[in-house]
Amino acid sequence: MLELYQFESCPYCSKVRKKLTELGVDVKLRQVDKNDRSRVEEISGQTNVPVLVDPNTDTTMPESDDIVDYLEEHYG
């Protein structure tokens, strides 16, 4: 199952959640503490969200536009 590291109030995260819903992709949402982004940094090497983790393709990806393109290509 895909995982999305995100904040609820983040517009970039919302964009990715919308695409996941549109494509009907199951995802586990991982809420990130705005004051402690160490887990995101461990996973992706940076502290920004969203970050998508896809164990099906062994992919970890930041940046909402890149994630949306990836989802379209692999799950669209």
Side-chain angles (χ1 to χ4, degrees):
M1 177 178 286
L2 287 96
E3 295 177 281
L4 181 66
Y5 289 81
Q6 55 112 45
F7 303 140
E8 282 298 317
S9 61
C10 169
Y12 303 105
C13 298
S14 176
K15 177 180 183 176
V16 173
R17 288 193 312 268
K18 181 178 177 183
K19 180 54 68 175
L20 287 161
T21 300
E22 179 183 303
L23 295 173
V25 177
D26 288 332
V27 62
K28 183 168 222 157
L29 297 178
R30 302 284 190 185
Q31 298 304 316
V32 174
D33 182 338
K34 291 181 183 181
N35 298 315
D36 181 10
R37 300 183 192 191
S38 58
R39 180 70 178 136
V40 173
E41 190 171 17
E42 287 174 23
I43 292 168
S44 67
Q46 49 90 40
T47 58
N48 295 328
V49 291
V51 172
L52 180 76
V53 177
D54 185 350
N56 300 319
T57 60
D58 197 30
T59 299
T60 300
M61 173 178 293
E63 300 297 329
S64 60
D65 287 337
D66 293 340
I67 294 170
V68 167
D69 290 345
Y70 172 86
L71 291 169
E72 282 284 349
E73 181 179 329
H74 289 85
Y75 296 95

